[in-house]
Amino acid sequence: MTPRRAVTFMIHRDGALESRSYRVSLWLLRTGIIVAALLVVGVIVGAVLYTPIARTAASVPGLRRELGQLRAENAQVKELARTLNEMESRYAQMRAMLGGDVIPSPQGVGRIPVTEAMFATEPGAEPRYESGQSTPSHWPLQASGIVTRGQVSPGTDDETHVGIDIAVPMATPIKASGGGVVGEIGEDPEYGVFVLIDHPDGYQTLYGHASRLLVALGDSVAAGEVVALSGSTGRSTGPHLHFEIRRNGRSLDPRSIVTEGR
């Protein structure tokens, strides 16, 4: 019978006369070494896996606090949005009651008194429009309106403003001030939806901030013909018509040319 292979360990204490010896079989020693190695590996793996978990667990209270703050801020934002919507709704109601942007701005740039109303015709009178092409001379609206901004020439301390702004209700018919040909239509960041009409003798008229155009490019229009409906497109704070008269590229004050009904 082959003797089992083993390993003998001897332990000798300093000053002692005898030594102690321990005999361990080789397979038991190998098993112990493997078990110890597995334990060490398990401890290392556990530490590696536990560290992120521990960090995450430690950050949970802070995340909960931040989540609570975000919820509180979100509630405040919702409350502010609700208040803003209410204010905008009330402002829109007030503006509609006043008939548009008829209140002068705080600076009063280029403004004339809102009591100066320009009427297309006298009550009950029929307008007399020329046939064919003609120079602009007629009130460009099918209703009276309030001039909220007049013409301001370049070089003044005020902001330059060509033409006049006339406050009227939404969708008021806009009429050609004279007979001519539609030279340009489109939408501009400043004028919004607009139509430009070419007239004889180098005259042009421009009608801006419309809500809808009723003519096409190249159309021939007669004086008094409805070419668009008023609106608040482009740079506008309320329904109104921006009306310009130009001659040879130079802007003229419409109030010096259109005297109908004044």
Side-chain angles (χ1 to χ4, degrees), residues 23-186:
R23 189 170 182 274
V24 180
S25 60
L26 187 59
W27 70 270
L28 184 60
L29 179 61
R30 289 176 179 174
T31 302
I33 293 174
I34 293 173
V35 171
L38 291 175
L39 289 175
V40 172
V41 172
V43 170
I44 295 173
V45 172
V48 171
L49 296 178
Y50 175 76
T51 301
I53 296 175
R55 290 178 180 174
T56 303
S59 64
V60 167
L63 292 175
R64 288 178 178 173
R65 287 193 298 270
E66 292 180 2
L67 180 60
Q69 292 176 355
L70 290 175
R71 287 176 176 172
E73 292 175 358
N74 186 42
Q76 292 178 354
V77 170
K78 289 182 178 179
E79 180 65 21
L80 290 173
R82 185 184 63 81
T83 303
L84 179 60
N85 289 335
E86 291 180 356
M87 294 178 64
E88 288 180 347
S89 178
R90 292 175 182 175
Y91 171 72
Q93 292 175 359
M94 292 178 61
R95 192 174 66 182
M97 291 173 61
L98 294 173
D101 185 23
V102 299
I103 302 177
S105 67
Q107 295 93 347
V109 177
R111 302 285 180 170
I112 63 175
V114 296
T115 55
E116 182 179 351
M118 297 175 64
F119 295 91
T121 58
E122 295 179 357
E126 290 293 333
R128 298 180 179 179
Y129 294 114
E130 305 83 7
S131 60
Q133 296 193 9
S134 59
T135 57
S137 61
H138 298 280
W139 179 247
L141 291 161
Q142 191 173 308
S144 60
I146 300 176
V147 178
T148 60
R149 192 176 191 187
Q151 177 145 326
V152 180
S153 302
T156 64
D157 295 334
D158 296 325
E159 178 187 0
T160 300
H161 180 259
V162 294
I164 58 175
D165 290 343
I166 312 165
V168 289
M170 184 72 72
T172 298
I174 299 172
K175 293 185 174 184
S177 181
V181 177
V182 177
E184 188 177 352
I185 59 173

Side-chain angles (χ1 to χ4, degrees), residues 43 47 54 99 175-176 194 201 245:
V43 170
K175 293 185 174 184
F194 73 94
D201 299 331
I245 297 180

